[in-house]
Amino acid sequence: MIMDTQILEDIGLSNAEIKIYLAILELGTATAGPILEKSGLHSSVVHMTLNKLIDRGFVTFVKEGKRNHYQATNPRHIVDFINEKKER
């Protein structure tokens, strides 16, 4: 899946947020390990950024045992996010 990163930049996502969001989109559902590998970012950056993406509604997770399994929300959510931003 190829997504225009310019759209993600335009709505205010940082480079780290874009890398992680795209990595999760490509991986499907993943724990932090594969996301770290795919994004090439430092562990603390990945965990902090995942929390930001969860807060913004771009990523969800399911806890299985002690591990979180992250999944990107539908890219259509970006449209909702843009519309909310316009209303504010």
Side-chain angles (χ1 to χ4, degrees):
M1 170 190 232
I2 296 173
M3 180 172 230
D4 184 2
T5 58
Q6 187 61 50
I7 295 167
L8 298 174
E9 287 173 31
D10 290 348
I11 60 171
L13 265 60
S14 68
N15 281 338
E17 289 171 323
I18 292 169
K19 278 184 180 177
I20 290 170
Y21 183 70
L22 294 177
I24 297 171
L25 273 179
E26 210 172 297
L27 291 165
T29 301
T31 57
I35 297 167
L36 281 163
E37 286 176 30
K38 192 138 205 71
S39 69
L41 298 168
H42 192 272
S43 176
S44 61
V45 172
V46 169
H47 288 283
M48 185 177 65
T49 305
L50 281 168
N51 288 329
K52 285 182 186 174
L53 289 169
I54 290 165
D55 289 345
R56 289 180 165 191
F58 287 95
V59 173
T60 60
F61 71 94
V62 175
K63 198 165 196 73
E64 290 181 22
K66 292 184 178 183
R67 304 178 90 183
N68 290 339
H69 293 258
Y70 300 96
Q71 188 170 4
T73 56
N74 189 316
R76 284 193 206 115
H77 174 75
I78 295 169
V79 175
D80 298 336
F81 186 82
I82 292 168
N83 290 335
E84 276 178 38
K85 221 174 168 180
K86 280 181 188 170
E87 285 174 22
R88 278 188 247 136

